Amino acid sequence: MNELLGTPIFRRLSTKMVAGFVAIMVIFSTGGLVVSREVDESRSKANEALDRAAAVLHMEEAKSVASDQIQAHYELLLENQENRIAYFDDAGRRRESAIAEARKHAGTSQELEWFDELESAAAQFDDNFHNQLVPAWRAGDQPRALLTEKRSDELLQEVVNYSSLLAEDFKKRNQEAQIAANDAATKARSYIIFAAIAGVSLSLLITIIAARRLSRPVRELKEASIAMTHGDLNRRVQVDTNDEIASLGD
């Protein structure tokens, strides 16, 4: 450390200049902490917006798969396709997976309530198909099959309605998260500009003050030395600093 402080650069630095550099570093460090906090906030809100966007896609998938399931209903009744039952079950698993993934992003009690209603309607939808429609179809009971088909349409509509409600709510919260992320990013940029301006202004102020405080004792030394060369040996050097110039004055 002593070797470092003994280099020509550090020997020429006054205490006031070092203090000025420290003050600048404090300002930039404080600004950096504030900017870091705002950047983290912006990143958090941006991730939240991405989560909401993913949840909307899951809800759209749930609606699409439910529509595929009702199509399997129609094909089972109209075309007597046994493989439609397996297709219905496969689509149901995809629907359940999409709803489960979307539920992870629920953030309000209202959304959780809608998810409960959605899953209840979806469970009834599956139950109506397997325990009402399929037995009626296999028994050749066309009137009963048509009645269960009507009930399936009603349950499908409930699934679609709750999925739409959740998708719209997720979209709304997604927009709010995006606005918050943009605001945080704007604040971060403002803090960066403020810290830069403050740092430059402070450095200029310290430079001016240091230059004035250094030039005055140097001028005093110059005037005293000129006076002494002209025979005025009673002239005293008035230097009130505590640095190398004061030592030279003594």
Side-chain angles (χ1 to χ4, degrees):
M1 179 61 72
N2 291 333
E3 293 179 358
L4 177 63
L5 295 178
T7 58
I9 295 177
F10 280 92
R11 285 203 301 268
R12 294 173 183 173
L13 291 178
S14 68
T15 303
K16 299 178 183 63
M17 294 177 68
V18 173
F21 285 125
V22 171
I24 294 173
M25 292 178 64
V26 170
I27 287 180
F28 277 108
S29 297
T30 303
L33 290 175
V34 174
V35 170
S36 177
R37 183 181 65 81
E38 294 299 330
V39 169
D40 288 341
E41 179 70 14
S42 175
R43 186 182 296 111
S44 174
K45 293 300 180 181
N47 290 335
E48 183 180 341
L50 290 175
D51 288 343
R52 298 289 179 270
V56 171
L57 292 177
H58 289 312
M59 296 318 304
E60 295 297 335
E61 182 182 1
K63 288 194 294 183
S64 175
V65 172
S67 297
D68 290 343
Q69 285 184 289
I70 202 66
Q71 182 63 32
H73 280 62
Y74 299 147
E75 293 174 353
L76 179 66
L77 286 176
L78 300 177
E79 302 176 12
N80 293 324
Q81 296 183 22
E82 181 76 25
N83 64 343
R84 294 295 90 188
I85 298 176
Y87 179 85
F88 179 93
D89 291 338
D90 178 65
R93 286 189 289 271
R94 287 186 284 124
R95 184 205 64 218
E96 290 174 357
S97 176
I99 294 175
E101 288 297 319
R103 182 186 267 275
K104 295 178 182 178
H105 306 293
T108 65
S109 58
Q110 179 65 79
E111 288 178 350
L112 291 173
E113 182 180 340
W114 284 339
F115 269 113
D116 290 339
E117 295 294 338
L118 170 60
E119 290 175 341
S120 175
Q124 293 179 57
F125 183 59
D126 292 347
D127 179 76
N128 187 70
F129 179 82
H130 285 293
N131 298 321
Q132 299 296 328
L133 181 62
V134 172
W137 169 71
R138 285 176 175 166
D141 190 347
Q142 190 70 11
R144 180 187 168 193
L146 291 175
L147 287 176
T148 57
E149 178 67 23
K150 181 179 179 182
R151 177 58 180 160
S152 292
D153 287 337
E154 295 172 353
L155 292 169
L156 170 67
Q157 192 59 48
E158 288 188 38
V159 171
V160 171
N161 289 343
Y162 283 116
S163 297
S164 298
L165 283 173
L166 285 162
E168 289 301 318
D169 204 59
F170 280 136
K171 287 178 182 179
K172 178 182 176 181
R173 293 175 58 202
N174 182 31
Q175 292 173 350
E176 294 172 353
Q178 288 177 332
I179 292 173
N182 292 336
D183 289 343
T186 300
K187 288 182 180 179
R189 287 192 294 269
S190 299
Y191 284 128
I192 291 174
I193 294 173
F194 172 77
I197 293 175
V200 171
S201 300
L202 182 60
S203 63
L204 288 175
L205 178 62
I206 292 174
T207 300
I208 293 172
I209 294 174
R212 288 182 177 179
R213 291 185 66 88
L214 287 173
S215 63
R216 185 178 59 77
V218 170
R219 186 170 60 252
E220 175 66 21
L221 279 173
K222 176 183 177 182
E223 292 174 355
S225 63
I226 292 174
M228 289 178 184
T229 57
H230 286 81
D232 187 3
L233 300 181
N234 293 321
R235 176 68 179 268
R236 293 292 179 267
V237 180
Q238 303 296 326
V239 178
D240 57 359
T241 62
N242 295 318
D243 52 17
E244 295 84 349
I245 296 179
S247 299
L248 182 60
D250 291 339

